[in-house]
Amino acid sequence: MIDLRALRDDPTYREGAVAKGATADTLDRLLADDAERRQLLAEVERLRADANAASKDIGRADPHERDAKIAAAGELKARVGDREAVLEAVSTRVDEAALAIPNPAHPSVPTGTEEAFEVIDVVGGQPSPPPLDHADYGDRMGWTDAERGAAVSGSRFAYLRAEAVLLELALVQWTMQKLVGRGFTPIVPPVLVREDMMVDAGFFPTDRNQVYELEKDELFLVGTAEVPLAGIHRGERLDATTLPLRYVGFSSCFRREAGTYGKDTRGIFRVHQFDKVEMFIWADPEQSWAEHELLLEIEREILDQLGLPYRVINVASGDLGAAAAKKYDCEVWLPSEGQYREITSCSNYTDFSARRLGTRVKGDRGSEFAHTLNGTACAVGRMLVFLMEHAQQDDGSFVVPEVLRPYCGLDLIVPPAAE
RNA sequence: GGAGAGGUGGCCGAGCCAGGUUGAAGGCGCUUCCCUGCUAAGGAAGUAACUGUCGUAAGGCGGUUCGUGGGUUCAAAUCCCACCCUCUCCGCCA
């Protein structure tokens, strides 16, 4: 949720909201309603003060004065109720409008639609495709079985098999170790959460149709560990001296992928279930931009050490999503498609999410909302897709990235004999 | 799944069954000061959060909050309803 006071007082904040698609008209109407709300609030509070005083007086009054005083207090109460109804109507209007306003973009975010992104850096080349694309190679190596996956669970489900499983676990363990070494606390979170957690994490109502629901138990399967990680300090007051609090979660992720029919149908690039190592940071407002750069640095280090060619983009305002004030995407070159595809992304939500989560920081500057950030460390399945193309040799063998070898006990994997 | 107990301020813990100077006793912790020749003991004062408004500020005056949301009442931590959570015993279980 946005900061109405900042919207009122801070021109930069307001410009950021406009960059994200909020019209000046909408903002002005919201601020006018909010002004009315605050005025009504003052009035209602005055009336309530009178009514409270009258009630307190009854407790102290002589018994024979009570009836008269009770009657008078009753009248006061009725007047309060009338004005409260008006206030509530205005407040509801303000809240609804405020919830619809996205988190303003940071001034460093390029303004425009999806294509307006800014390329920050390009690492490595754009190699030509290997003999087999990731989908065919996964089948050839006996690493993926989408056919049986579909028979068991439907399309976009696959079995992961053989060395691919060892590689997956190696990726998880390697990234986990790296992050623990950087002071992150490792977490295996619940993957089923309540509706209010989905709302507070900012995924409902907007992304509700992307989420699997267990109706009988009123629980929802998370699409990312970000959701339960955001819940860790919900409703808490954090001591500024303990920040930043850095967490790294490992979980399976579940996505309905509604509206992607016919898109990325080959292999395991886009599936309903995958595993992911996700970073999440609770930061002091003064630290959050430095923490955002840290997340990017870690993401880049992971790609560098795996030897993947990639570029980093500063996502344009129109493509940020409601919660992010700024977002970097790392996109790895996918040779078979001849284009860069997203592998990781990291966002600074500033105080947008914490306001809804009710997480505050208490420090020298008093009490303010925390800043939250999140970033992908390793989307495991998709990482395997990229590795299957970049580590694949002309003879069909697979060269395991050096850094993963200690974690899976493999260095060169040769394809099984053809049937 | 069955039976019971309980959720109060940074923490512990009274208050609830008789609704009214209780935003909440007491203790711990913390802050400041006094005493003390010294990391002890003692004494005094202060110490919830959020929010509106006025003020340059210190602060003043209000509102809301005793798990959450409703209800009854002039008045609710206290009464009623629903939900959430925690604990104990039994059952089940990787």
Side-chain angles (χ1 to χ4, degrees), chain A residues 388-409:
Chain A
M388 279 193 270
E389 299 206 359
H390 289 288
Q392 182 189 149
Q393 308 300 297
D394 285 343
D395 66 0
S397 62
F398 182 94
V399 178
V400 178
E402 199 107 21
V403 289
L404 297 182
R405 292 177 191 179
Y407 295 98
C408 62

Side-chain angles (χ1 to χ4, degrees), chain A residues 31-44:
Chain A
L31 288 177
D33 283 345
D34 184 50
E36 188 186 348
R37 195 199 105 245
R38 283 178 291 123
Q39 197 185 334
L40 275 165
L41 183 64
E43 187 190 341
V44 166

Side-chain angles (χ1 to χ4, degrees), chain A residues 117-152:
Chain A
F117 63 83
E118 170 196 5
V119 176
I120 304 257
D121 198 7
V122 180
V123 175
Q126 301 184 348
S128 48
L132 298 177
D133 79 354
H134 59 93
D136 288 337
Y137 190 65
D139 289 344
R140 174 71 190 92
M141 295 297 276
W143 286 357
T144 54
D145 187 343
E147 211 169 299
R148 291 193 175 99
V152 168

Side-chain angles (χ1 to χ4, degrees), chain A residues 191-256:
Chain A
V191 295
L192 285 165
V193 301
R194 285 221 192 81
E195 181 167 12
D196 62 331
M197 188 63 247
M198 282 294 192
V199 172
D200 287 353
F203 286 79
F204 279 9
T206 41
D207 293 324
R208 188 164 190 135
N209 65 344
Q210 291 299 334
V211 172
Y212 287 103
E213 175 173 1
L214 280 74
E215 208 170 324
K216 192 172 174 187
D217 296 287
E218 293 182 71
L219 289 169
F220 301 82
L221 277 163
V222 300
T224 164
E226 179 194 329
V227 175
L229 291 174
I232 291 179
H233 295 298
R234 183 162 52 151
E236 292 181 18
R237 249 182 322 146
L238 306 175
D239 183 340
T241 60
T242 66
L243 299 177
L245 289 167
R246 304 190 180 104
Y247 295 97
V248 53
F250 168 73
S251 83
S252 291
C253 304
F254 303 90
R255 300 185 181 180
R256 294 186 64 229

